[in-house]
Amino acid sequence: MNGSEVSPPGLKNFIISVGALISARGFVAVSQILVLPILARQLSVEDFGLMGLAMTLVIFANTLSDGGMGRSLIRREDADEVEWASVNWLMIGAGVACTVFVAALSPLAASYFDSDRLVPVLLVMSVIPLFYALSAAPNAEVERRENYSGIAKVQVLATISGLVFAVSAALLGLGIWALVGQQVLLAAVRMVGIFKLSHFRPSLTFSTYGLRPHLIYARDTLASAFLIVIRQQLPVMMISRVLGQIPLGYFAMTQRFNRLPQFGLAGPMSSVIYVRMSKAQKSPEKLRDIYYAGMRLLAVLLIPTTTMIAVAGTPIFSVLLSPEWKPVAILFALSIAGLVLEAIAIFFMHALFRAVSRTDLLLRTSIEGVILRLVMMWISLQFSLEAVAMSFTLWSLVMVPRHWQLGARLIPITLSGCLNQLLPASIVACIVALVYALVDHLTELPDLAYVAISASLGLAGVGLTVLIDNQNSKSALNVFRTTSQTLSPTVIGR
């Protein structure tokens, strides 16, 4: 073991790290969008709805298989070889249990949702939680070294493998198995890639000594993650039971686009920011600066672009998918504002709660979020699928200020300070949306032309925001030039 300290990377490394992850996630997002026209034309709306149901149970199991202990390993400065190995074997055991759980539950799920097709789908997909559990500790070691470019390469390779299979299987007429095989192959290739990338090799040892901090950390983070998954998957289950498979299919397709801001940008940025916050956890002012900077940078990238997709949704989704999928446009427009606000404000606040070991606040907000989502879903389902979509935005308008209120107990943030991070991008988004509305009112063009106009205006909105807010954007980047703490290198079993 090398006892020397590893100096935290500066601004250049932060930009490269985030850029690599965002590029990989961007590639994933774009490639999935490019193949959706093929899948949407080869598969039925019911196939997408059924896959949404199956993924609900698999996502629950994935959450349980890791338990948050992988994130706990990242933040521990003094963890030794035995501790890493013990946590690794514990997570693998949880992964095996989750695989058995999904397989055993498949007949009950099929009966509850009145779909016999769900049983074989879940039996095949039950291996996915085990794949993620096997790679959890190696992935933690890679993230701790901030080797995000390596993670990005693995993500791209796994995505290409999954998409090639999905398209080939769809064209061969395999139906839903195109989507099932894609998810299994994605997890398998990712696991192999992380193994090759990681220096971590677990020793054949196990000790309960040293597990207590990880179990305590996992207790709250697991409960919180489980509740977040419930909140995210609750609409899928309730829509299926109340409205049926076809509305669920439209909702599931909408979710594939709705997740892009969180998956493509907020997810990778929050991973990097979590590591930076962990290194600065003893400096409230530094943590505040990191939080504000993350919000401002993400707002610049997300708000103008998603606004343009929302206002030009009908031609965009008609061209990308087919006229059959036009209902996706209104569902996207009603829900995306709340999901973007959640990505910008809540993702980084959750990273803060974890970094300073206030997982109790993470758990509290998760409980509150599930209760609010349950109430809103029950009310909105009495009206329509569009009301369900609108509830996502209303949920964020309640929960984001609540997170800021709790965050102010830990770091010196203010309501006005948080809103200021969103204001420039929001103003520009309104401007480009009005320009598009004017063009749409004055012209009659093919749908493809409106898609090109909306894309151009979205990119112009990002550029205009950076131009008018240049100084603050530079200041936000400079926050990541240094960090105030250092971390010892990861202890690796051989």
Side-chain angles (χ1 to χ4, degrees):
M1 168 181 167
N2 183 358
S4 62
E5 292 184 322
V6 177
S7 298
L11 175 60
K12 181 179 179 180
N13 184 270
F14 171 79
I15 294 174
I16 293 173
S17 297
V18 175
L21 283 180
I22 289 177
S23 297
R25 295 288 183 91
F27 170 81
V28 172
V30 171
S31 58
Q32 287 179 339
I33 289 174
L34 291 177
V35 302
L36 270 179
I38 300 175
L39 298 179
R41 287 168 171 81
Q42 298 297 321
L43 278 65
S44 67
V45 176
E46 291 89 342
D47 285 334
F48 281 96
L50 184 62
M51 189 62 183
L53 283 177
M55 283 303 298
T56 296
L57 190 55
V58 172
I59 291 171
F60 276 122
N62 281 347
T63 303
L64 291 171
S65 68
D66 175 77
M69 286 186 286
R71 313 307 297 171
S72 181
L73 284 172
I74 292 175
R75 58 181 294 279
R76 289 274 290 175
E77 299 181 34
D78 55 351
D80 59 21
E81 178 182 341
V82 174
E83 189 172 331
W84 272 74
S86 300
V87 172
N88 173 71
W89 297 125
L90 187 61
M91 288 190 291
I92 290 175
V96 172
C98 288
T99 291
V100 174
F101 171 76
V102 172
L105 202 62
S106 58
L108 295 177
S111 175
Y112 181 78
F113 292 111
D114 193 24
S115 177
D116 292 338
R117 297 172 64 200
L118 202 54
V119 174
V121 168
L122 284 174
L123 288 176
V124 173
M125 295 180 67
S126 65
V127 298
I128 294 177
L130 179 58
F131 290 162
Y132 277 94
L134 286 166
S135 60
N139 186 77
E141 186 275 327
V142 176
E143 282 198 40
R144 198 171 190 274
R145 285 189 286 115
E146 299 195 35
N147 186 8
Y148 297 109
S149 59
I151 294 175
K153 292 175 184 177
V154 170
Q155 183 73 56
V156 169
L157 179 61
T159 299
I160 292 174
S161 303
L163 290 177
V164 168
F165 178 89
V167 171
S168 302
L171 293 175
L172 289 172
L174 296 183
I176 193 174
W177 294 105
L179 301 177
V180 173
Q182 177 189 14
Q183 293 301 319
V184 173
L185 193 59
L186 180 67
V189 173
R190 176 189 176 277
M191 177 185 67
V192 173
I194 291 297
F195 278 158
K196 290 184 176 295
L197 195 63
S198 177
H199 298 166
F200 173 73
R201 298 294 181 268
S203 57
L204 296 176
T205 57
F206 184 85
S207 172
T208 57
Y209 180 80
L211 284 182
R212 180 176 172 79
H214 299 289
L215 292 173
I216 293 173
Y217 184 90
R219 179 192 63 198
D220 290 344
T221 55
L222 176 59
S224 173
F226 193 69
L227 289 169
I228 290 173
V229 170
I230 289 176
R231 170 171 59 81
Q232 293 173 340
Q233 300 302 315
L234 194 63
V236 174
M237 295 183 288
M238 295 180 73
I239 290 170
S240 175
R241 289 287 293 179
V242 177
L243 300 180
Q245 292 295 312
I246 292 180
L248 177 60
Y250 288 125
F251 180 81
M253 181 62 78
T254 305
Q255 289 294 88
R256 286 174 173 260
F257 288 92
N258 279 343
R259 286 197 300 263
L260 295 180
Q262 298 181 349
F263 173 80
L265 288 174
M269 282 189 67
S270 64
S271 296
V272 177
I273 282 176
Y274 169 74
V275 176
R276 293 304 178 94
M277 284 181 166
S278 296
K279 295 174 181 179
Q281 59 186 277
K282 297 178 182 178
S283 174
E285 291 77 17
K286 180 66 175 178
L287 291 170
R288 175 202 59 202
D289 293 344
I290 293 174
Y291 180 72
Y292 277 169
M295 283 185 64
R296 184 172 288 270
L297 293 175
L298 198 53
V300 170
L301 296 171
L302 281 183
I303 294 179
T305 51
T306 56
T307 298
M308 287 313 306
I309 297 173
V311 298
T314 298
I316 288 175
F317 292 112
S318 294
V319 169
L320 281 178
L321 304 177
S322 70
E324 179 188 10
W325 292 94
K326 274 188 178 182
V328 171
I330 184 63
L331 298 178
F332 181 90
L334 292 171
S335 59
I336 193 60
L339 292 166
V340 166
L341 185 57
E342 178 187 357
I344 294 171
I346 294 181
F347 271 47
F348 299 152
M349 187 59 71
H350 285 180
L352 171 68
F353 291 160
R354 293 188 180 99
V356 299
S357 299
R358 289 303 305 270
T359 52
D360 58 313
L361 295 179
L362 185 62
L363 181 58
R364 178 188 299 183
T365 54
S366 299
I367 293 172
E368 293 173 356
V370 166
I371 293 172
L372 183 62
R373 174 59 51 81
L374 180 61
V375 172
M376 286 186 168
M377 280 297 301
W378 182 83
I379 295 173
S380 60
L381 280 169
Q382 310 308 311
F383 296 94
S384 65
L385 188 60
E386 289 76 16
V388 171
M390 186 64 191
S391 72
F392 281 77
T393 295
L394 296 176
W395 183 91
S396 290
L397 291 175
V398 174
M399 290 305 300
V400 166
R402 174 59 173 159
H403 279 78
W404 288 339
Q405 179 188 28
L406 293 175
R409 300 180 184 180
L410 307 176
I411 57 176
I413 61 172
T414 63
L415 177 61
S416 61
C418 291
L419 292 175
N420 284 339
Q421 312 310 314
L422 308 175
L423 188 59
S426 299
I427 293 174
V428 171
C430 291
I431 293 172
V432 293
L434 288 173
V435 171
Y436 177 86
L438 183 62
V439 171
D440 185 41
H441 178 71
L442 296 177
T443 63
E444 290 187 12
L445 302 172
D447 283 346
L448 190 59
Y450 287 117
V451 172
I453 291 170
S454 65
S456 301
L457 286 173
L459 294 175
V462 174
L464 182 59
T465 306
V466 172
L467 182 64
I468 67 174
D469 198 39
N470 184 260
Q471 189 58 46
N472 287 323
S473 297
K474 287 182 178 178
S475 297
L477 282 173
N478 285 333
V479 167
F480 300 101
R481 187 175 298 280
T482 59
T483 52
S484 59
Q485 304 291 325
T486 58
L487 287 177
S488 301
T490 304
V491 177
I492 304 165
R494 292 291 182 184

